[in-house]
Amino acid sequence: SDDGRFLLFHSKAGAYGTNQIFGCERREITEFDRPIRISLPGRERWELMTPELNVSGDKLYFSSNSWGGQGKLDLWYSRRTR
């Protein structure tokens, strides 16, 4: 995040063994909460990589080889609902 309190990254996980997006909040200067998987319904079996939040923090941009794309890894975004 812009203020450095939220860390996003991708890692292999889940039943399909694909890259998924995770996030965690910083508690102290060098201490973060346990990472949680960012749920993007319907995309669990596809590669989700290179997460980035926009400046206002309400859109998550990522690359994916998900259905509906134009090629191997396409740029997608998801809006925060809460």
Side-chain angles (χ1 to χ4, degrees), residues 1-27:
S1 64
D2 223 21
D3 62 5
R5 295 189 58 212
F6 196 71
L7 174 68
L8 289 169
F9 61 95
H10 70 267
S11 181
K12 291 223 182 264
Y16 297 102
T18 59
N19 280 302
Q20 297 292 303
I21 297 174
F22 292 84
C24 56
E25 278 193 80
R26 186 178 71 181
R27 293 290 173 201

Side-chain angles (χ1 to χ4, degrees), residues 9-51:
F9 61 95
H10 70 267
S11 181
K12 291 223 182 264
Y16 297 102
T18 59
N19 280 302
Q20 297 292 303
I21 297 174
F22 292 84
C24 56
E25 278 193 80
R26 186 178 71 181
R27 293 290 173 201
E28 304 291 331
I29 290 177
T30 59
E31 187 177 316
F32 285 85
D33 282 344
R34 177 180 222 122
I36 58 166
R37 187 172 68 81
I38 306 296
S39 178
L40 296 169
R43 301 194 190 270
E44 293 84 3
R45 66 184 187 134
W46 305 99
E47 299 285 341
L48 304 174
M49 303 185 316
T50 60

Side-chain angles (χ1 to χ4, degrees), residues 50-69:
T50 60
E52 183 75 32
L53 285 175
N54 68 344
V55 174
S56 61
D58 63 344
K59 286 184 187 171
L60 171 64
Y61 292 92
F62 59 97
S63 59
S64 177
N65 64 346
S66 180
W67 55 269

